[in-house]
Amino acid sequence: MTVTSVYQQLRSNLAYLHLEAASEALAAELDHATKEKLSHSAFLERLLRVEVAVTEERRLAGRRRFSCLPAPWRLEDFDFDAQPKLDRRLVEELGTLRFVEEAANVLLIGPPGVGKTHLAVALGHRAVEAGYRTYYTTAADLAARCHRAAIEGRWATTMRFFAGPGLLIVDELGYLPLAGEAAAALFQVVAQRYLKGSIVLTTNRGISQWGQMFNDDATVAAAMLDRLLHHSTVLSIDGDSYRMRAHREAVAKVRSAVNAGGAA
Ligand code: ADP
Ligand code: MG
């Protein structure tokens, strides 16, 4: 074969194997290899690295889309000084994602505005970037999805869906009491993920109030807590609301400016 036809054959082989990025980069990489007198293996390594980088990027984008994470919040943006009682080292340990590897759970408990969703979402981004399939939902959405699935005869499929991701984030449990069916759905999701996949759950209800959240079905609440808590990290955040804090600081600033103005 002539040099040109070897090149053409190589390009079409790469394209046939769906190695489009490598196919695109072939000419430039061949020139580079000739110019730098690269060994065959060094050339091949460079060429395949192009394809690997593009594939990784595409898969990451896919995991991002799938995750439905509602905000770009990062662990790095979390202001630990605003939550002095929160164990920073524990949060950073969670950030290593060992808990996902171990299929352990994380419970974030606290009043509104203290950063529960921020931390849950931040762990979600870490997991997505580390290659874990991650899915964010609110407890209300999960309940509504399961309700529709039950009506439309898709219960088993939906349950399989919620069993799939390596990390499932269930946000805002307890803002509304759960009807019997919703409680059953949540219970089944928790039960089937038990020891198989992680859940990060945020709630404004202390563990002692879980009975009420499940319409006083203390049995379901207890059974679910059992599975959630065995193998889990519980973070209680009882500090100030960050939003309220920022708000108060802004008000205080305006006040002191006004006072300074008045004194002058
Ligand atoms: P929660 O889920 O506990 O109600 P969020 O996580 O939604 O609270 O936090 C409310 C807002 O305040 C978000 O914009 C979040 O990014 C921000 N926030 C809360 N706590 C902190 C913090 N400690 N550092 C930085 N931002 C924070
Ligand atoms: Mg929240």
Side-chain angles (χ1 to χ4, degrees):
M1 273 200 272
T2 64
V3 173
T4 321
S5 66
V6 170
Y7 171 77
Q8 290 303 348
Q9 188 61 48
L10 195 45
R11 272 209 71 149
S12 76
N13 283 350
L14 288 168
Y16 181 73
L17 295 170
H18 300 293
L19 303 176
E20 270 91 15
S23 176
E24 288 295 312
L26 181 61
E29 287 301 325
L30 278 170
D31 288 347
H32 176 84
T34 309
K35 198 164 128 242
E36 302 294 324
K37 298 192 172 60
L38 294 189
S39 67
H40 294 134
S41 52
F43 158 73
L44 194 55
E45 192 280 322
R46 277 182 60 103
L47 184 67
L48 292 185
R49 202 184 326 147
V50 171
E51 188 66 41
V52 167
V54 168
T55 302
E56 268 175 357
E57 202 51 50
R58 190 177 56 236
R59 289 189 183 162
L60 175 62
R63 285 195 302 278
R64 276 220 175 92
R65 261 195 315 278
F66 177 80
S67 72
C68 295
L69 287 166
W73 300 331
R74 318 286 312 191
L75 228 42
E76 291 77 8
D77 306 329
F78 195 78
D79 176 5
F80 285 93
D81 295 336
Q83 282 319 331
K85 283 197 229 147
L86 182 63
D87 187 340
R88 177 178 193 150
R89 266 193 312 204
L90 197 54
V91 175
E92 278 164 0
E93 159 62 26
L94 292 174
T96 68
L97 303 176
R98 191 155 61 98
F99 80 98
V100 182
E101 201 50 49
E102 293 171 348
N105 300 323
V106 178
L107 263 70
L108 294 159
I109 303 175
V114 294
K116 300 183 299 298
T117 300
H118 186 125
L119 288 174
V121 165
L123 290 173
H125 285 295
R126 280 265 168 111
V128 165
E129 278 151 26
Y132 294 106
R133 267 165 77 79
T134 301
Y135 189 75
Y136 170 98
T137 181
T138 61
D141 267 357
L142 186 145
R145 283 254 302 263
C146 293
H147 178 68
R148 272 201 309 278
I151 292 171
E152 293 166 9
R154 291 181 291 103
W155 180 266
T157 323
T158 305
M159 284 300 130
R160 264 203 307 282
F161 174 83
F162 285 116
L167 174 60
L168 178 69
I169 300 172
V170 181
D171 202 7
E172 296 179 3
L173 179 64
Y175 285 88
L176 299 168
L178 292 170
E181 187 198 55
L186 190 62
F187 175 74
Q188 192 173 334
V189 168
V190 169
Q192 67 183 4
R193 292 182 63 81
Y194 179 58
L195 302 180
K196 296 203 193 90
S198 293
I199 297 176
V200 170
L201 188 129
T202 84
T203 174
N204 60 348
R205 300 287 188 99
I207 285 170
S208 60
Q209 302 172 320
W210 278 42
Q212 297 157 22
M213 196 152 70
F214 290 90
N215 263 337
D216 288 322
D217 189 340
T219 326
V220 174
M224 191 157 106
L225 260 182
D226 238 23
R227 285 163 181 76
L228 270 175
L229 290 179
H230 174 232
H231 243 75
S232 74
T233 303
V234 178
L235 290 173
S236 289
I237 316 179
D238 57 3
D240 275 0
S241 159
Y242 194 79
R243 259 188 297 240
M244 289 309 285
R245 186 185 127 112
H247 179 70
R248 268 200 302 277
E249 276 168 8
V251 169
K253 236 191 212 151
V254 171
R255 279 232 177 83
S256 69
V258 167
N259 287 342

